[in-house]
């Protein structure tokens, strides 16, 4: 196919008229499709329904050590759930606290606690003039929402296929004591699906932060969420930090939200003993214990990390055709046109699309007008502001493959139309 | 029986020798009993085990409106759980947010949010020189722990059988803009088991706070936890506040921790729309939703408030003999001696005991030495400091009645011994 940029004004005008016609026809179809959020489909949730049977009215709802999961106590989680979540993260149970149903809440609480109580004895951030977080972008909108909510200044760090631009990360972290954290989704990053390279992880572990209370916020949300037999490999960050002499530099987060149930899973934090001891000081004021019955339910159902791996293959069988349906349309319709590029992740929940500069907002708006909801353009950047207005996050999990093909057909049509208009303006 | 205070030195000396002998005998028994925390007994948790069967692998885990409880969404709770928790509190579903398994966490988060974001637009408390909370005492140690954790100054307000000393409450709240809250357990208060009178509730509702961001923290933990057919009656605070022209003045908290499972129940907050809208602004950053599967489980099991009432009668059948076992020993052994007084609650989880001034710590220490753990003396006061060193909280829920009689036998022995020593000092 001929690149749009190689076309003459006249050719573009003809194309525009044709695309406008197609768009009007598409609008007339009255689509109602949603590719906006990383929400599992019902069939994925069905996969774990047998978990509802592992505890019944005749069960001993007790830990192996004999503690009653129904009662108060065991604030940091039942021992078997700590071991289970530790296995998933590749860290010892002693480095794990198991929480409630949402790792987002752990992250929010971690930042909130730092605001009011600092980190391991540092000055509470609310007493400081300046607190900054590094935000690799495109990234996860809910991360940026947390830092924005607390008035923390966000600094955009460009993403590469190997992870964040580490030259820039080192420059900021090692020199600016106001930089207290960096948001990372190190495996199958949101939205690009990139996995940090070994070199990137090692450079993270070797940071020499100017701030004693700087921490890496390592949101390992897609830690075991491969689409293919051969998944990406990510170095385990806690041991890398320890090896590099920075044992306390990282808070890792994960959950079973996209393993068991999005709304009723269990979540966990991994960190050094020093960090966890500090976290527990606040936790003991905030709660008596999280829902240990649900922790036990998870452990009894999945047994161990191998149980999770087997289960995730079933998820992959549902997710893979969806990703492939989207990618097939993108390649067929946009390949060679020079008006967009996209990622081809081997796991996670998203495909990231780059339009020509200045075309993302208009493309999302056009899609919406014709009945396909995408994540708001800009959402993948701090303050919701994509400086080049070019990134669009596609979330293929919720619709079925046929719907996805329809939605993506419309999407590529809108990309073409908006691109043509942009080129005609120039 | 002869009052100890009427005894001569010689009589007290003889008594002391006899009590010391009894105490040594008691120690030799090697008791290991715990009356320290308001923890339900296993048999109470067993009462709700059928809840484990209401959802199984074949269930439609959906709300009446068709929302999938397993997935993300419905941040403020499923509609039927809002209605259910609202029914328990006597407020409309619209005034309710349903949370996770712990109302303590809601309270902590509410104070934490006020520190960083103020209340409904007021200055964040962390930016203020002075923030004070009124603490009716004796009261709940975990309330005091929250305010202490955030560096909030605590002012002790004496408790009466009708609730806090309202003259003092009005004096502080209506005049001091640094007073931002008051901790209340309005029904079967912790530890005295007092229920606020109608007059007290109406005076609360009619407060004219100097601070716009003053709120009543109404922890209705024992809202439906009667020991007898005829329970105490408490006026519903939200409507009273509304009638008095103060619709936004109260945050109410409750949970099913002592209805279903202490570690795996559901909790809720009730407040005005304005308050809830403000809370939701932070919640939308902090979480996507709480565990709605567990919310559905609760609603399907209990159906409505009548289901809860019927269930609580079974709890009462277990708890009543325990309270009565303790009270029987107290009355038999200490009645008329003039060395202690105690409350006789019709519900809740505690009996409050007043020793002679200066005897609580030593009594608790003596009990511990002989194998009976009580709540630490002082715990029922802000900063853990009981000014008269006289209050001891007895928590009869965990041991069986026979153990309770044993434990209380030891307790009264220690009260006698410590009192005699105190009288001999004078």
């Amino acid at each position: 196919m001929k690149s749009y940029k190689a076309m003459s004004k006249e050719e573009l005008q003809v194309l525009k008229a044709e695309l406008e016609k197609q768009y009007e026809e598409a609008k007339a179809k009255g689509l109602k499709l949603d590719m906006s959020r990383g929400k599992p489909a019902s069939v994925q949730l069905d996969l774990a329904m047998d978990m509802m049977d592992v505890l019944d009215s005749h069960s001993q709802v007790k830990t192996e050590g004999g503690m009653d999961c129904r009662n108060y106590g065991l604030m940091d989680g039942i021992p078997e759930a700590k071991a289970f979540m530790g296995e998933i993260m590749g860290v010892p149970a002693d480095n794990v606290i198991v929480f409630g149903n949402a790792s987002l809440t752990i992250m929010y609480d971690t930042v909130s606690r730092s605001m009011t109580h600092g980190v391991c004895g540092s000055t509470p951030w609310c007493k400081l003039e300046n607190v900054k977080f590094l935000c690799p972008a495109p990234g996860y909108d809910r991360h940026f929402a947390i830092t924005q909510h607390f008035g923390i200044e966000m600094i955009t760090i460009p993403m590469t296929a190997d992870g964040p631009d580490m030259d820039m990360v080192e420059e900021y972290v090692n020199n600016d004591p106001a930089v207290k954290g960096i948001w990372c989704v190190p495996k199958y990053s949101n939205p690009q699906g990139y996995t940090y390279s070994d070199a990137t992880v090692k450079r993270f572990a070797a940071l020499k932060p100017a701030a004693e209370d700087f921490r890496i916020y390592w949101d390992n949300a897609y830690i075991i969420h491969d689409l293919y037999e051969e998944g990406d490999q990510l170095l385990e960050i806690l041991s890398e930090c320890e090896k590099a002499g920075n044992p306390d530099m990282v808070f890792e987060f994960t959950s079973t939200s996209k393993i068991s149930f999005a709304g009723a899973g269990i979540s966990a934090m991994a960190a050094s003993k020093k960090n966890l001891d500090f976290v527990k000081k606040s936790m003991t004021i905030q709660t008596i214990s999280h829902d240990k019955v649900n922790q036990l339910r998870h452990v009894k159902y999945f047994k161990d990390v191998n149980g999770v791996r087997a289960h995730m293959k079933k998820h992959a069988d549902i997710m893979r055709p969806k990703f492939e349906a989207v990618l097939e349309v993108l390649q067929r319709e946009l390949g060679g046109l020079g008006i967009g590029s996209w990622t081809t992740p081997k796991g996670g929940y998203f495909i990231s699309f780059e339009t020509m500069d200045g075309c993302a907002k208009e493309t999302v708006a056009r899609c919406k007008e014709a009945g396909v909801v995408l994540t708001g353009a800009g959402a993948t950047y701090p303050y919701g502001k994509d400086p080049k207005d070019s990134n669009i996050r596609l979330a293929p999990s919720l619709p079925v493959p046929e719907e996805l093909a329809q939605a993506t057909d419309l999407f590529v049509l809108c990309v073409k139309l908006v691109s043509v208009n942009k080129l005609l303006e120039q």
Side-chain angles (χ1 to χ4, degrees), chain A:
Chain A
M1 269 192 268
K2 190 169 180 182
S3 163
Y4 280 24
K5 284 168 189 165
M7 287 187 183
S8 68
K9 282 258 167 186
E10 291 67 30
E11 285 176 301
L12 287 169
Q13 290 289 6
V14 173
L15 185 56
K16 178 186 158 99
E18 171 58 24
L19 291 168
E20 291 279 15
K21 194 171 146 260
Q22 288 176 21
Y23 182 67
E24 291 309 317
E25 286 165 11
K27 265 212 294 194
K29 285 187 198 160
L31 294 178
K32 257 191 116 171
L33 297 169
D34 192 334
M35 283 210 287
S36 71
R37 302 294 324 174
K39 224 174 154 172
S42 293
V43 285
Q44 290 177 269
L45 302 169
D46 290 344
L47 294 174
M49 278 306 280
D50 284 350
M51 197 195 293
M52 296 287 181
D53 297 335
V54 299
L55 294 178
D56 66 19
S57 54
H58 302 290
S59 301
Q60 286 289 316
V61 192
K62 286 186 175 164
T63 65
E64 279 164 30
M67 292 283 288
D68 192 330
C69 294
R70 305 168 303 177
N71 219 328
Y72 293 121
L74 289 178
M75 180 185 73
D76 56 354
I78 63 173
E80 37 273 74
K82 287 165 67 175
F84 171 69
M85 296 304 280
E87 238 192 318
I88 292 176
M89 289 185 280
V91 304
D94 283 352
N95 292 106
V96 176
I97 299 176
V98 186
F99 289 75
N101 73 320
S103 58
L104 186 70
T105 305
I106 317 178
M107 292 182 248
Y108 177 100
D109 283 5
T110 302
V111 173
S112 181
R113 183 188 318 111
S114 305
M115 293 298 294
T116 55
H117 290 82
V119 182
C120 295
S122 76
T123 306
W125 296 352
C126 70
K127 304 286 181 204
L128 302 174
E129 276 303 304
N130 266 304
V131 178
K132 302 174 190 169
F133 257 58
L134 306 186
C135 300
Y140 180 32
D141 54 351
R142 290 186 184 272
H143 286 164
F144 306 152
I146 291 174
T147 23
Q148 184 164 7
H149 184 69
F150 286 100
I152 293 170
E153 185 185 335
M154 293 185 281
I155 296 163
T156 299
I157 304 288
M159 272 294 288
T160 77
D162 286 327
D165 177 334
M166 289 308 294
D167 290 343
M168 216 165 147
V169 170
E170 286 163 355
E171 177 69 23
Y172 275 110
V173 173
N174 296 352
N175 294 298
D176 186 349
V179 172
K180 304 295 190 190
I182 179 168
W183 288 120
C184 298
V185 182
K187 190 165 176 186
Y188 304 132
S189 69
N190 178 350
Q192 291 164 307
Y194 292 150
T195 297
Y196 293 12
S197 70
D198 291 359
T200 297
V201 176
K202 282 176 189 292
R203 284 178 76 177
F204 262 111
L207 286 169
K208 303 197 184 329
E212 54 164 350
D213 49 356
F214 169 83
R215 295 290 183 276
I216 302 163
Y217 293 71
W218 198 254
D219 181 3
N220 223 333
Y222 308 106
I223 186 166
I224 200 159
H225 301 60
D226 305 320
L227 291 173
Y228 298 91
E229 194 69 32
E230 188 93 337
D232 289 350
Q233 296 297 322
L234 174 73
L235 280 183
E236 196 287 294
I237 185 79
L238 259 73
S239 48
E240 290 301 323
C241 283
E242 199 171 340
K243 273 188 260 172
N246 282 319
D248 304 319
M249 200 170 56
V250 63
F251 290 131
E252 180 171 5
F253 311 94
T254 197
S255 80
T256 69
S257 292
K258 281 156 184 134
I259 297 173
S260 57
F261 300 125
I266 60 176
S267 64
M269 173 187 229
S272 70
K273 186 178 179 308
K274 183 180 163 189
N275 280 330
L276 294 190
D277 283 349
F278 179 73
V279 169
K280 285 180 198 172
K281 265 195 213 167
S282 291
M283 272 184 84
T284 193
I285 311 291
Q286 189 177 15
T287 191
I288 305 178
S289 62
H290 290 99
D291 185 338
K292 300 182 300 292
V293 172
N294 205 32
Q295 291 177 15
L296 187 68
R297 197 179 277 123
H298 276 72
V299 176
K300 279 191 184 273
Y301 179 66
F302 287 112
K303 307 251 173 358
D304 55 27
V305 71
N306 292 322
V308 175
R309 280 201 194 100
H311 190 79
M312 293 312 287
K313 285 195 180 145
K314 300 181 200 165
H315 277 276
D317 289 342
I318 294 169
M319 290 284 278
R320 202 184 320 108
K322 297 188 179 192
F323 272 72
E324 290 177 351
V326 173
L327 291 168
E328 192 275 324
V329 175
L330 293 177
Q331 185 55 38
R332 167 168 39 86
E333 293 295 323
L334 299 178
L337 296 190
I339 55 172
S341 60
W342 54 91
T343 58
T344 54
K346 289 199 273 179
Y349 262 68
F350 305 104
I351 292 163
S352 181
F353 189 92
E354 286 290 321
T355 65
M356 288 166 45
D357 288 2
C359 290
K361 260 193 193 147
E362 180 63 15
T363 303
V364 171
R366 288 283 191 146
C367 284
K368 191 174 176 188
E369 205 186 319
V372 172
V373 180
L374 302 176
T375 310
T380 53
Y381 278 80
Y383 308 106
K385 284 178 192 152
D386 175 358
K388 293 198 291 178
D389 184 25
S390 63
N391 185 253
I392 297 175
R393 185 180 80 165
L394 302 176
S397 57
L398 205 50
V400 296
E402 301 73 50
E403 291 173 334
L404 278 168
Q406 278 192 302
T408 314
D409 277 337
L410 179 78
F411 173 71
V412 295
L413 176 59
C414 294
V415 170
K416 289 176 184 174
L417 186 54
V418 173
S419 304
V420 165
N421 284 334
K422 175 63 72 182
L423 289 166
L424 281 169
E425 277 171 24
Q426 285 165 357

